[in-house]
Structure formats: C-alpha cells, structure tokens
PDB file of all heavy atoms in Angstrom:
ATOM      1  N   THR A   1      58.754  -2.212  64.031  1.00  0.00           N
ATOM      2  CA  THR A   1      58.529  -0.722  64.311  1.00  0.00           C
ATOM      3  C   THR A   1      59.576   0.092  63.401  1.00  0.00           C
ATOM      4  O   THR A   1      59.217   1.250  63.009  1.00  0.00           O
ATOM      5  CB  THR A   1      58.841  -0.386  65.788  1.00  0.00           C
ATOM      6  OG1 THR A   1      60.053  -0.974  66.172  1.00  0.00           O
ATOM      7  CG2 THR A   1      57.754  -1.004  66.580  1.00  0.00           C
ATOM      8  N   SER A   2      60.716  -0.435  63.229  1.00  0.00           N
ATOM      9  CA  SER A   2      61.763   0.250  62.265  1.00  0.00           C
ATOM     10  C   SER A   2      61.207   0.345  60.869  1.00  0.00           C
ATOM     11  O   SER A   2      61.253   1.328  60.200  1.00  0.00           O
ATOM     12  CB  SER A   2      63.017  -0.549  62.251  1.00  0.00           C
ATOM     13  OG  SER A   2      63.694  -0.525  63.472  1.00  0.00           O
ATOM     14  N   ALA A   3      60.565  -0.792  60.311  1.00  0.00           N
ATOM     15  CA  ALA A   3      59.932  -0.663  59.035  1.00  0.00           C
ATOM     16  C   ALA A   3      58.861   0.264  58.954  1.00  0.00           C
ATOM     17  O   ALA A   3      58.752   1.011  58.049  1.00  0.00           O
ATOM     18  CB  ALA A   3      59.498  -2.063  58.640  1.00  0.00           C
ATOM     19  N   GLU A   4      58.042   0.280  60.045  1.00  0.00           N
ATOM     20  CA  GLU A   4      56.918   1.235  59.969  1.00  0.00           C
ATOM     21  C   GLU A   4      57.292   2.706  59.985  1.00  0.00           C
ATOM     22  O   GLU A   4      56.774   3.559  59.281  1.00  0.00           O
ATOM     23  CB  GLU A   4      56.003   1.010  61.235  1.00  0.00           C
ATOM     24  CG  GLU A   4      55.244  -0.244  61.320  1.00  0.00           C
ATOM     25  CD  GLU A   4      54.556  -0.634  62.447  1.00  0.00           C
ATOM     26  OE1 GLU A   4      54.900  -0.081  63.578  1.00  0.00           O
ATOM     27  OE2 GLU A   4      53.602  -1.344  62.508  1.00  0.00           O
ATOM     28  N   ALA A   5      58.454   2.954  60.744  1.00  0.00           N
ATOM     29  CA  ALA A   5      58.934   4.313  60.863  1.00  0.00           C
ATOM     30  C   ALA A   5      59.536   4.871  59.447  1.00  0.00           C
ATOM     31  O   ALA A   5      59.210   5.843  58.933  1.00  0.00           O
ATOM     32  CB  ALA A   5      60.071   4.402  61.766  1.00  0.00           C
ATOM     33  N   LEU A   6      60.207   3.814  58.726  1.00  0.00           N
ATOM     34  CA  LEU A   6      60.555   4.211  57.337  1.00  0.00           C
ATOM     35  C   LEU A   6      59.405   4.316  56.530  1.00  0.00           C
ATOM     36  O   LEU A   6      59.383   5.301  55.733  1.00  0.00           O
ATOM     37  CB  LEU A   6      61.510   3.074  56.824  1.00  0.00           C
ATOM     38  CG  LEU A   6      62.950   3.026  57.368  1.00  0.00           C
ATOM     39  CD1 LEU A   6      63.519   1.727  56.908  1.00  0.00           C
ATOM     40  CD2 LEU A   6      63.658   4.233  56.974  1.00  0.00           C
ATOM     41  N   ALA A   7      58.500   3.567  56.504  1.00  0.00           N
ATOM     42  CA  ALA A   7      57.235   3.526  55.728  1.00  0.00           C
ATOM     43  C   ALA A   7      56.466   5.002  55.939  1.00  0.00           C
ATOM     44  O   ALA A   7      55.885   5.506  54.929  1.00  0.00           O
ATOM     45  CB  ALA A   7      56.276   2.373  55.914  1.00  0.00           C
ATOM     46  N   MET A   8      56.558   5.455  57.215  1.00  0.00           N
ATOM     47  CA  MET A   8      55.878   6.760  57.512  1.00  0.00           C
ATOM     48  C   MET A   8      56.805   7.916  57.144  1.00  0.00           C
ATOM     49  O   MET A   8      56.440   9.090  57.414  1.00  0.00           O
ATOM     50  CB  MET A   8      55.562   6.703  58.995  1.00  0.00           C
ATOM     51  CG  MET A   8      54.421   5.823  59.377  1.00  0.00           C
ATOM     52  SD  MET A   8      53.986   6.055  61.103  1.00  0.00           S
ATOM     53  CE  MET A   8      55.224   5.230  61.982  1.00  0.00           C
ATOM     54  N   GLY A   9      57.921   7.682  56.481  1.00  0.00           N
ATOM     55  CA  GLY A   9      58.934   8.694  55.968  1.00  0.00           C
ATOM     56  C   GLY A   9      59.656   9.397  57.120  1.00  0.00           C
ATOM     57  O   GLY A   9      60.007  10.523  57.013  1.00  0.00           O
ATOM     58  N   LYS A  10      59.994   8.657  58.134  1.00  0.00           N
ATOM     59  CA  LYS A  10      60.806   9.194  59.321  1.00  0.00           C
ATOM     60  C   LYS A  10      62.201   8.757  59.105  1.00  0.00           C
ATOM     61  O   LYS A  10      62.640   7.780  58.402  1.00  0.00           O
ATOM     62  CB  LYS A  10      60.280   8.708  60.543  1.00  0.00           C
ATOM     63  CG  LYS A  10      58.837   9.085  60.767  1.00  0.00           C
ATOM     64  CD  LYS A  10      58.333   8.724  62.166  1.00  0.00           C
ATOM     65  CE  LYS A  10      56.911   8.940  62.331  1.00  0.00           C
ATOM     66  NZ  LYS A  10      56.572  10.305  62.182  1.00  0.00           N
ATOM     67  N   TRP A  11      63.136   9.528  59.752  1.00  0.00           N
ATOM     68  CA  TRP A  11      64.492   8.965  59.926  1.00  0.00           C
ATOM     69  C   TRP A  11      64.558   7.702  60.766  1.00  0.00           C
ATOM     70  O   TRP A  11      63.699   7.648  61.861  1.00  0.00           O
ATOM     71  CB  TRP A  11      65.384  10.001  60.638  1.00  0.00           C
ATOM     72  CG  TRP A  11      65.774  11.265  59.754  1.00  0.00           C
ATOM     73  CD1 TRP A  11      65.363  12.638  60.120  1.00  0.00           C
ATOM     74  CD2 TRP A  11      66.643  11.287  58.636  1.00  0.00           C
ATOM     75  NE1 TRP A  11      65.987  13.293  59.101  1.00  0.00           N
ATOM     76  CE2 TRP A  11      66.834  12.629  58.282  1.00  0.00           C
ATOM     77  CE3 TRP A  11      67.449  10.315  57.983  1.00  0.00           C
ATOM     78  CZ2 TRP A  11      67.529  13.053  57.053  1.00  0.00           C
ATOM     79  CZ3 TRP A  11      68.184  10.767  56.794  1.00  0.00           C
ATOM     80  CH2 TRP A  11      68.198  12.137  56.578  1.00  0.00           C
ATOM     81  N   LEU A  12      65.399   6.799  60.474  1.00  0.00           N
ATOM     82  CA  LEU A  12      65.598   5.594  61.334  1.00  0.00           C
ATOM     83  C   LEU A  12      66.919   5.600  61.826  1.00  0.00           C
ATOM     84  O   LEU A  12      67.836   5.533  61.000  1.00  0.00           O
ATOM     85  CB  LEU A  12      65.155   4.331  60.566  1.00  0.00           C
ATOM     86  CG  LEU A  12      65.488   2.966  61.380  1.00  0.00           C
ATOM     87  CD1 LEU A  12      64.593   2.894  62.587  1.00  0.00           C
ATOM     88  CD2 LEU A  12      65.278   1.814  60.269  1.00  0.00           C
ATOM     89  N   LEU A  13      67.137   5.624  63.089  1.00  0.00           N
ATOM     90  CA  LEU A  13      68.566   5.640  63.735  1.00  0.00           C
ATOM     91  C   LEU A  13      68.767   4.242  64.445  1.00  0.00           C
ATOM     92  O   LEU A  13      67.989   3.977  65.356  1.00  0.00           O
ATOM     93  CB  LEU A  13      68.703   6.745  64.526  1.00  0.00           C
ATOM     94  CG  LEU A  13      69.996   6.983  65.382  1.00  0.00           C
ATOM     95  CD1 LEU A  13      71.151   7.120  64.215  1.00  0.00           C
ATOM     96  CD2 LEU A  13      69.908   8.296  66.184  1.00  0.00           C
ATOM     97  N   VAL A  14      69.741   3.440  63.823  1.00  0.00           N
ATOM     98  CA  VAL A  14      69.819   2.078  64.400  1.00  0.00           C
ATOM     99  C   VAL A  14      71.317   1.789  64.415  1.00  0.00           C
ATOM    100  O   VAL A  14      72.117   2.311  63.697  1.00  0.00           O
ATOM    101  CB  VAL A  14      69.204   1.051  63.579  1.00  0.00           C
ATOM    102  CG1 VAL A  14      67.641   1.208  63.614  1.00  0.00           C
ATOM    103  CG2 VAL A  14      69.552   1.001  62.096  1.00  0.00           C
ATOM    104  N   PRO A  15      71.610   0.760  65.394  1.00  0.00           N
ATOM    105  CA  PRO A  15      73.053   0.370  65.398  1.00  0.00           C
ATOM    106  C   PRO A  15      73.370  -0.568  64.239  1.00  0.00           C
ATOM    107  O   PRO A  15      72.538  -1.194  63.647  1.00  0.00           O
ATOM    108  CB  PRO A  15      73.136  -0.485  66.767  1.00  0.00           C
ATOM    109  CG  PRO A  15      71.688  -0.877  67.061  1.00  0.00           C
ATOM    110  CD  PRO A  15      70.879   0.142  66.367  1.00  0.00           C
ATOM    111  N   LYS A  16      74.674  -0.504  63.865  1.00  0.00           N
ATOM    112  CA  LYS A  16      75.180  -1.566  62.897  1.00  0.00           C
ATOM    113  C   LYS A  16      75.167  -2.862  63.501  1.00  0.00           C
ATOM    114  O   LYS A  16      75.814  -3.081  64.550  1.00  0.00           O
ATOM    115  CB  LYS A  16      76.481  -1.153  62.470  1.00  0.00           C
ATOM    116  CG  LYS A  16      77.103  -2.095  61.371  1.00  0.00           C
ATOM    117  CD  LYS A  16      78.116  -1.378  60.545  1.00  0.00           C
ATOM    118  CE  LYS A  16      78.511  -2.261  59.407  1.00  0.00           C
ATOM    119  NZ  LYS A  16      77.538  -2.293  58.307  1.00  0.00           N
ATOM    120  N   HIS A  17      74.268  -3.640  62.984  1.00  0.00           N
ATOM    121  CA  HIS A  17      73.894  -5.053  63.622  1.00  0.00           C
ATOM    122  C   HIS A  17      73.304  -5.811  62.622  1.00  0.00           C
ATOM    123  O   HIS A  17      72.479  -5.318  61.732  1.00  0.00           O
ATOM    124  CB  HIS A  17      73.082  -4.819  64.885  1.00  0.00           C
ATOM    125  CG  HIS A  17      72.988  -5.997  65.662  1.00  0.00           C
ATOM    126  ND1 HIS A  17      71.941  -6.883  65.503  1.00  0.00           N
ATOM    127  CD2 HIS A  17      73.720  -6.530  66.726  1.00  0.00           C
ATOM    128  CE1 HIS A  17      72.068  -7.840  66.439  1.00  0.00           C
ATOM    129  NE2 HIS A  17      73.182  -7.601  67.147  1.00  0.00           N
ATOM    130  N   PRO A  18      73.452  -7.233  62.580  1.00  0.00           N
ATOM    131  CA  PRO A  18      72.808  -8.077  61.668  1.00  0.00           C
ATOM    132  C   PRO A  18      71.335  -7.918  61.621  1.00  0.00           C
ATOM    133  O   PRO A  18      70.675  -8.050  60.419  1.00  0.00           O
ATOM    134  CB  PRO A  18      73.160  -9.453  62.147  1.00  0.00           C
ATOM    135  CG  PRO A  18      74.457  -9.304  62.830  1.00  0.00           C
ATOM    136  CD  PRO A  18      74.361  -7.835  63.432  1.00  0.00           C
ATOM    137  N   CYS A  19      70.674  -7.602  62.733  1.00  0.00           N
ATOM    138  CA  CYS A  19      69.188  -7.378  62.687  1.00  0.00           C
ATOM    139  C   CYS A  19      68.722  -6.178  61.869  1.00  0.00           C
ATOM    140  O   CYS A  19      67.588  -6.063  61.589  1.00  0.00           O
ATOM    141  CB  CYS A  19      68.534  -7.350  64.054  1.00  0.00           C
ATOM    142  SG  CYS A  19      68.933  -6.027  65.088  1.00  0.00           S
ATOM    143  N   ASN A  20      69.668  -5.295  61.545  1.00  0.00           N
ATOM    144  CA  ASN A  20      69.304  -4.048  60.788  1.00  0.00           C
ATOM    145  C   ASN A  20      69.868  -4.066  59.355  1.00  0.00           C
ATOM    146  O   ASN A  20      69.685  -3.077  58.690  1.00  0.00           O
ATOM    147  CB  ASN A  20      69.957  -2.847  61.597  1.00  0.00           C
ATOM    148  CG  ASN A  20      69.194  -2.686  62.886  1.00  0.00           C
ATOM    149  OD1 ASN A  20      67.893  -2.811  62.996  1.00  0.00           O
ATOM    150  ND2 ASN A  20      69.995  -2.320  63.967  1.00  0.00           N
ATOM    151  N   VAL A  21      70.389  -5.188  58.918  1.00  0.00           N
ATOM    152  CA  VAL A  21      71.023  -5.191  57.588  1.00  0.00           C
ATOM    153  C   VAL A  21      69.910  -4.872  56.459  1.00  0.00           C
ATOM    154  O   VAL A  21      70.148  -4.118  55.555  1.00  0.00           O
ATOM    155  CB  VAL A  21      71.674  -6.497  57.204  1.00  0.00           C
ATOM    156  CG1 VAL A  21      71.922  -6.842  55.832  1.00  0.00           C
ATOM    157  CG2 VAL A  21      72.789  -6.749  58.142  1.00  0.00           C
ATOM    158  N   PHE A  22      68.764  -5.285  56.632  1.00  0.00           N
ATOM    159  CA  PHE A  22      67.739  -4.973  55.683  1.00  0.00           C
ATOM    160  C   PHE A  22      67.461  -3.463  55.450  1.00  0.00           C
ATOM    161  O   PHE A  22      67.262  -3.014  54.362  1.00  0.00           O
ATOM    162  CB  PHE A  22      66.359  -5.527  56.143  1.00  0.00           C
ATOM    163  CG  PHE A  22      65.118  -5.152  55.385  1.00  0.00           C
ATOM    164  CD1 PHE A  22      64.824  -5.743  54.152  1.00  0.00           C
ATOM    165  CD2 PHE A  22      64.186  -4.193  55.718  1.00  0.00           C
ATOM    166  CE1 PHE A  22      63.860  -5.343  53.380  1.00  0.00           C
ATOM    167  CE2 PHE A  22      63.158  -3.835  55.032  1.00  0.00           C
ATOM    168  CZ  PHE A  22      62.986  -4.322  53.800  1.00  0.00           C
ATOM    169  N   PHE A  23      67.700  -2.697  56.589  1.00  0.00           N
ATOM    170  CA  PHE A  23      67.402  -1.246  56.601  1.00  0.00           C
ATOM    171  C   PHE A  23      68.480  -0.420  55.963  1.00  0.00           C
ATOM    172  O   PHE A  23      68.402   0.695  55.562  1.00  0.00           O
ATOM    173  CB  PHE A  23      66.976  -0.764  57.937  1.00  0.00           C
ATOM    174  CG  PHE A  23      65.837  -1.505  58.379  1.00  0.00           C
ATOM    175  CD1 PHE A  23      65.949  -2.281  59.587  1.00  0.00           C
ATOM    176  CD2 PHE A  23      64.532  -1.324  57.835  1.00  0.00           C
ATOM    177  CE1 PHE A  23      64.885  -2.867  60.152  1.00  0.00           C
ATOM    178  CE2 PHE A  23      63.477  -2.082  58.371  1.00  0.00           C
ATOM    179  CZ  PHE A  23      63.769  -2.864  59.523  1.00  0.00           C
ATOM    180  N   GLU A  24      69.754  -1.031  55.832  1.00  0.00           N
ATOM    181  CA  GLU A  24      70.915  -0.245  55.367  1.00  0.00           C
ATOM    182  C   GLU A  24      70.818   0.510  54.064  1.00  0.00           C
ATOM    183  O   GLU A  24      71.367   1.531  53.949  1.00  0.00           O
ATOM    184  CB  GLU A  24      72.167  -1.210  55.413  1.00  0.00           C
ATOM    185  CG  GLU A  24      72.576  -1.561  56.768  1.00  0.00           C
ATOM    186  CD  GLU A  24      73.739  -2.436  56.768  1.00  0.00           C
ATOM    187  OE1 GLU A  24      74.277  -2.824  55.751  1.00  0.00           O
ATOM    188  OE2 GLU A  24      74.225  -2.835  57.834  1.00  0.00           O
ATOM    189  N   SER A  25      70.088   0.000  53.180  1.00  0.00           N
ATOM    190  CA  SER A  25      69.951   0.601  51.795  1.00  0.00           C
ATOM    191  C   SER A  25      69.103   1.753  51.773  1.00  0.00           C
ATOM    192  O   SER A  25      68.914   2.436  50.716  1.00  0.00           O
ATOM    193  CB  SER A  25      69.597  -0.564  50.722  1.00  0.00           C
ATOM    194  OG  SER A  25      68.333  -0.978  50.993  1.00  0.00           O
ATOM    195  N   PHE A  26      68.131   1.945  52.791  1.00  0.00           N
ATOM    196  CA  PHE A  26      67.159   3.029  52.804  1.00  0.00           C
ATOM    197  C   PHE A  26      67.875   4.343  53.060  1.00  0.00           C
ATOM    198  O   PHE A  26      68.712   4.563  53.965  1.00  0.00           O
ATOM    199  CB  PHE A  26      66.239   2.826  53.834  1.00  0.00           C
ATOM    200  CG  PHE A  26      65.210   1.732  53.427  1.00  0.00           C
ATOM    201  CD1 PHE A  26      65.462   0.417  53.678  1.00  0.00           C
ATOM    202  CD2 PHE A  26      64.056   2.000  52.883  1.00  0.00           C
ATOM    203  CE1 PHE A  26      64.615  -0.655  53.402  1.00  0.00           C
ATOM    204  CE2 PHE A  26      63.114   1.003  52.650  1.00  0.00           C
ATOM    205  CZ  PHE A  26      63.403  -0.324  52.757  1.00  0.00           C
ATOM    206  N   SER A  27      67.551   5.318  52.172  1.00  0.00           N
ATOM    207  CA  SER A  27      68.139   6.670  52.374  1.00  0.00           C
ATOM    208  C   SER A  27      67.887   7.323  53.738  1.00  0.00           C
ATOM    209  O   SER A  27      68.681   8.189  54.203  1.00  0.00           O
ATOM    210  CB  SER A  27      67.703   7.588  51.182  1.00  0.00           C
ATOM    211  OG  SER A  27      66.296   7.813  51.214  1.00  0.00           O
ATOM    212  N   ASN A  28      66.816   6.987  54.346  1.00  0.00           N
ATOM    213  CA  ASN A  28      66.566   7.537  55.643  1.00  0.00           C
ATOM    214  C   ASN A  28      67.107   6.704  56.860  1.00  0.00           C
ATOM    215  O   ASN A  28      66.636   6.994  57.980  1.00  0.00           O
ATOM    216  CB  ASN A  28      65.094   7.792  55.838  1.00  0.00           C
ATOM    217  CG  ASN A  28      64.637   8.937  54.872  1.00  0.00           C
ATOM    218  OD1 ASN A  28      65.347   9.662  54.585  1.00  0.00           O
ATOM    219  ND2 ASN A  28      63.259   8.923  54.574  1.00  0.00           N
ATOM    220  N   CYS A  29      67.763   5.759  56.466  1.00  0.00           N
ATOM    221  CA  CYS A  29      68.292   4.819  57.718  1.00  0.00           C
ATOM    222  C   CYS A  29      69.813   5.414  58.028  1.00  0.00           C
ATOM    223  O   CYS A  29      70.586   5.402  57.179  1.00  0.00           O
ATOM    224  CB  CYS A  29      68.487   3.445  57.158  1.00  0.00           C
ATOM    225  SG  CYS A  29      69.082   2.373  58.545  1.00  0.00           S
ATOM    226  N   LEU A  30      69.915   5.762  59.229  1.00  0.00           N
ATOM    227  CA  LEU A  30      71.179   6.258  59.793  1.00  0.00           C
ATOM    228  C   LEU A  30      71.761   5.244  60.760  1.00  0.00           C
ATOM    229  O   LEU A  30      71.024   4.882  61.766  1.00  0.00           O
ATOM    230  CB  LEU A  30      70.970   7.540  60.481  1.00  0.00           C
ATOM    231  CG  LEU A  30      70.238   8.670  59.693  1.00  0.00           C
ATOM    232  CD1 LEU A  30      69.942   9.914  60.637  1.00  0.00           C
ATOM    233  CD2 LEU A  30      71.178   9.031  58.531  1.00  0.00           C
ATOM    234  N   ILE A  31      72.903   4.773  60.369  1.00  0.00           N
ATOM    235  CA  ILE A  31      73.485   3.515  61.161  1.00  0.00           C
ATOM    236  C   ILE A  31      74.633   4.051  61.846  1.00  0.00           C
ATOM    237  O   ILE A  31      75.698   4.730  61.302  1.00  0.00           O
ATOM    238  CB  ILE A  31      73.859   2.403  60.210  1.00  0.00           C
ATOM    239  CG1 ILE A  31      72.666   1.926  59.504  1.00  0.00           C
ATOM    240  CG2 ILE A  31      74.500   1.383  60.932  1.00  0.00           C
ATOM    241  CD1 ILE A  31      72.795   0.897  58.505  1.00  0.00           C
ATOM    242  N   TYR A  32      74.797   3.725  63.153  1.00  0.00           N
ATOM    243  CA  TYR A  32      75.952   4.180  64.064  1.00  0.00           C
ATOM    244  C   TYR A  32      76.694   2.851  64.561  1.00  0.00           C
ATOM    245  O   TYR A  32      76.005   1.846  64.682  1.00  0.00           O
ATOM    246  CB  TYR A  32      75.483   5.054  65.092  1.00  0.00           C
ATOM    247  CG  TYR A  32      74.508   4.314  66.111  1.00  0.00           C
ATOM    248  CD1 TYR A  32      74.928   3.641  67.161  1.00  0.00           C
ATOM    249  CD2 TYR A  32      73.147   4.438  65.925  1.00  0.00           C
ATOM    250  CE1 TYR A  32      74.104   3.138  68.095  1.00  0.00           C
ATOM    251  CE2 TYR A  32      72.276   3.910  66.778  1.00  0.00           C
ATOM    252  CZ  TYR A  32      72.604   3.171  67.932  1.00  0.00           C
ATOM    253  OH  TYR A  32      71.830   2.470  68.726  1.00  0.00           O
ATOM    254  N   GLU A  33      77.904   3.088  64.889  1.00  0.00           N
ATOM    255  CA  GLU A  33      78.747   2.144  65.397  1.00  0.00           C
ATOM    256  C   GLU A  33      79.227   2.303  66.784  1.00  0.00           C
ATOM    257  O   GLU A  33      79.767   1.459  67.416  1.00  0.00           O
ATOM    258  CB  GLU A  33      79.890   1.684  64.406  1.00  0.00           C
ATOM    259  CG  GLU A  33      79.432   1.305  63.108  1.00  0.00           C
ATOM    260  CD  GLU A  33      80.709   0.762  62.232  1.00  0.00           C
ATOM    261  OE1 GLU A  33      81.522  -0.006  62.712  1.00  0.00           O
ATOM    262  OE2 GLU A  33      80.690   1.158  61.135  1.00  0.00           O
ATOM    263  N   ASN A  34      79.144   3.593  67.254  1.00  0.00           N
ATOM    264  CA  ASN A  34      79.523   4.032  68.554  1.00  0.00           C
ATOM    265  C   ASN A  34      78.764   5.183  68.971  1.00  0.00           C
ATOM    266  O   ASN A  34      77.920   5.703  68.380  1.00  0.00           O
ATOM    267  CB  ASN A  34      81.010   4.280  68.627  1.00  0.00           C
ATOM    268  CG  ASN A  34      81.411   5.364  67.622  1.00  0.00           C
ATOM    269  OD1 ASN A  34      80.703   6.417  67.485  1.00  0.00           O
ATOM    270  ND2 ASN A  34      82.423   5.062  66.792  1.00  0.00           N
ATOM    271  N   GLY A  35      78.985   5.469  70.335  1.00  0.00           N
ATOM    272  CA  GLY A  35      78.198   6.670  70.857  1.00  0.00           C
ATOM    273  C   GLY A  35      78.341   7.987  70.181  1.00  0.00           C
ATOM    274  O   GLY A  35      77.508   8.768  70.106  1.00  0.00           O
TER     275      GLY A  35
END
C-alpha cells in the first residue's frame, strides 16, 4: 500500500523502521521518529 501511494503521486508518511528503508529515497516519503 505504501508503494501504491507513492506510485499514485501521494505523500507517504511512515515511521523510521527497517520495513520502510526502501521508501526513504523517495522525495514524497516523509519519515518520522516520534509523535
């Protein structure tokens, strides 16, 4: 679902976590570490 959201040109908001490493290089990926 995260990959689909990026492919649809949306912002992706995800936690800093190993399962999200692939998305870190995308300009629309916003990574947070806390609330």
Side-chain angles (χ1 to χ4, degrees):
T1 55
S2 293
E4 289 173 343
L6 285 172
M8 289 187 281
K10 300 180 185 306
W11 287 112
L12 172 63
L13 183 57
V14 293
K16 183 152 186 75
H17 190 270
C19 69
N20 293 319
V21 168
F22 172 78
F23 304 113
E24 288 180 359
S25 66
F26 286 83
S27 59
N28 289 336
C29 183
L30 305 172
I31 299 174
Y32 62 89
E33 295 187 49
N34 56 50

